[in-house]
Amino acid sequence: MTEPAPHEAADALLADVLQATEPLERARARAPELTALLLRDQWLALLDRLPAPVPGWLVWRAAYGLHHLGHLRDAELVAERVDPASAPADLARIHAVRAAVAWNRGDQDAARRHADRATELDRIAAGAAQGVVDVALALLSAAEGDRDANQRYYDRARAWAERTGDDLTLERVLNNLSSRALEEGDPEAAVAAAIAGQQVNLRTGHQSGLALLRHNLAEALMTLGRLDEALTAANQARTFYVSAGSPNAGGSWQLAGDVQAVLGLATQAAASFRHAIEAAQVEGDAQTLVPSLAGLALVTAPREPAAATALLARIEREPIAVRSASVLTAAAWVHLCTGDPERARAQAELAVVESGKVNDLTRMAESLEILCLLDRTGADDPRLREADQLRRRIGDPIRIAIHRLVAAHLGADPVERRLAVAELRSHGVVADVGQIAGQLHAIGVGATTAPVRIHSLGRFAVLRDNQPVPVDEWPSRKAHEALRLIAAHGPAGLTRARLAELLWPGTREVSNRLSVALSHLRVTLDPTRTHPSNHFLRTSGGLLSLAPEHVEHDVDEFRQAARTALAEDDARTPPGDAEHARRVLAALETAASLYTGPFADGEDADWADDIREELARLARQVHRALAGRHLRQGAPDAAVPWLTRLLRADPYDEPDHLTLVGALRAAGRYGEARLAYRRYAERMDELGVPAQSWDAEPA
């Protein structure tokens, strides 16, 4: 059976405690379960039923639980309710939690004050809370840039937790070590720490701890280029946080946005970052707010430069302690994208320094690439070679491919450029990646030679000479809507009568209004009136349509590429014809890259539903064909991302679940296969369908 929802388990435990004759004694007896399961409302309800002041052994658990769930203000308020006569070890734990809360907010002075007080109290307690205090000191050391002290404190905390059997602290240390490994460019170590933490979590049952472990695992998978798996893990963490009412959902929204941005899903990334910003503002969580603001600036800068610049200005008002190298590089890309190279250079040079302080190899490489692009150097620039070495040391295949593109651009090597683009497509990166401020936007990947391009997959946009048409340039909203509708109906076209009905449903005598809207539309597409009136928008046989030789439309491109690739895949590859197999695989990957999001994403209109489902169904066919071709060619690892993407679209598809389990087993990834099988069994249980046994699964 599946686990109960977070609130159900918490409510049941709270009821058991409060219905006891002696609630405080009952709470002490079930203290580990309280820490593992209680959510904000239950913690506050429990403490409100107890007489003040509250004993320290319960307060530290409540404060720890609330902090771990992201309720920073509540954690502080609860900490202040403690009985000052509590045991020094309990008081030390409380101050350690308060230090972590201050760290989350970027308030280093308060964090140091509470950490010092925790150290004093632990000394009185003869080290009974040493590991907990060491975690707080490790966080503070990282904020102060002392990486050696950070590692030393974590090593001490881990040894103490293992010696004393404090699994809660051990789980937290492993979580934080996973984050540290990521910062230092060692994603394999980050995965190992996250997996070890999940093993400890089986003993603690700590729900928010498991969510954080999944979050860190997602970050590590993203760095390893396993983007679809990373997005799935991030969504699992977010699902818990959202259902638990936790502000930490903001961190998982931010991570999802980061993964979506690497995938090139600009519209989805922007939505995720906005969710993250909203959640972070509730608790004043600067550690989530600042990188989310930077991420939103990155994914919106090419189309909304003024808004992106305003986001950077907002970041400048946040505490300096949370403006990391990743934020500095984001600012550099935005300034480069919006035509301010001097500010871009200043941010990149500062990012080189800051990334060096914390050994952030990813941002160091990125900063060097920015400087090379600004200087327009050749491919033999030593900074570019150093960036290449850093990329390869980390081992992120996607960022290695992006670096190849940068080097090819600087070296004017078109063959290498095509190979690097193909490699990105093989990892599931979509065409919209060039519409995000960064390396690929800077070198013009995704640019088109067409004078007008319509973008309907994801957020609707119109590009004129590769520049987005601002909203304030549209003479009327109806002209904008008319273009969306005409583009959606493709080469088949749309009658004036049908267009009028869609624009003004149930309204008669709108012929003049329609003529005005179409006139406005033609002016927007050709503001200098250089071409005849039918150059972009033509009327033929009573049908309105876009002129395909002058207007590109991403929907038409995707449809054609997908149908062609699927037809080639259906023909199968003759035995021994490696060139045909390579060509079909490339065609499928190209088609997949052109599906950049749901059609008319966010559009609440009946006319869009059928087209949206048709295109989503076509995308699923392409993804399934890719998975199947990789499996037939004996490459189960390469099939896993496409199967993961399919299950993200439909988590109840039994054949896809079974194929994923089989692919993981065939790849020798048995631990992951077990987790995938458990998710499959849970989904089938939700449907009331018996799951096939593990032993029945093909290897």
Side-chain angles (χ1 to χ4, degrees), residues 485-495 540-546 548 556 559:
L485 288 160
I486 294 168
H489 287 77
L494 189 65
T495 65
S540 178
L543 295 171
L544 290 161
S545 65
L546 298 173
D556 296 335
R559 274 199 187 105

Side-chain angles (χ1 to χ4, degrees), residues 373 377-380 384 401-413 416 443:
L373 287 168
T377 60
D380 58 348
L384 199 62
I402 291 174
H403 179 81
R404 285 181 67 190
L405 265 174
V406 172
H409 172 77
L410 293 173
D413 187 340
E416 179 70 3
I443 65 177

Side-chain angles (χ1 to χ4, degrees), residues 195 199 226 229 636-637 640 660-679 694-695 697-699:
I195 290 175
Q199 295 301 315
R226 293 161 58 179
E229 296 168 78
D637 269 321
V640 168
L660 175 61
V661 172
L664 289 168
R665 291 176 66 174
R669 293 158 59 176
Y670 297 109
E672 294 176 69
R674 281 285 184 185
L675 291 173
Y677 176 79
R678 190 170 88 173
R679 287 194 295 272
W694 165 264
D695 292 334
E697 291 311 306

Side-chain angles (χ1 to χ4, degrees), residues 55-56 99 157 198 326 423 585:
Q198 290 187 55
S326 63
E423 188 174 344
L585 195 60

Side-chain angles (χ1 to χ4, degrees), residues 135 138-139 150-158 173 176-177:
V135 170
L139 293 173
N150 173 262
Q151 183 67 60
R152 185 169 62 252
Y153 282 125
Y154 278 138
D155 288 343
R156 285 199 343 180
R158 182 172 185 173
V173 169
N176 292 5
L177 286 174

Side-chain angles (χ1 to χ4, degrees), residues 612-645:
R612 184 181 297 127
E613 177 51 36
E614 173 228 334
L615 296 172
R617 184 169 57 250
L618 193 57
R620 290 194 296 271
Q621 289 177 300
V622 171
H623 299 157
R624 190 165 289 113
L626 275 163
R629 184 156 284 273
H630 282 304
L631 289 172
R632 291 194 300 274
Q633 293 178 0
D637 269 321
V640 168
W642 302 109
L643 292 166
T644 304
R645 191 172 296 194

Side-chain angles (χ1 to χ4, degrees), residues 52 66 102 104 219 222 279 350 391 423 589 599 630 657 686:
L66 290 165
N104 270 108
E219 284 195 85
M222 177 176 68
L350 186 56
R391 296 294 194 202
E423 188 174 344
E589 288 169 349
F599 172 76
H630 282 304
H657 273 291
E686 291 170 11

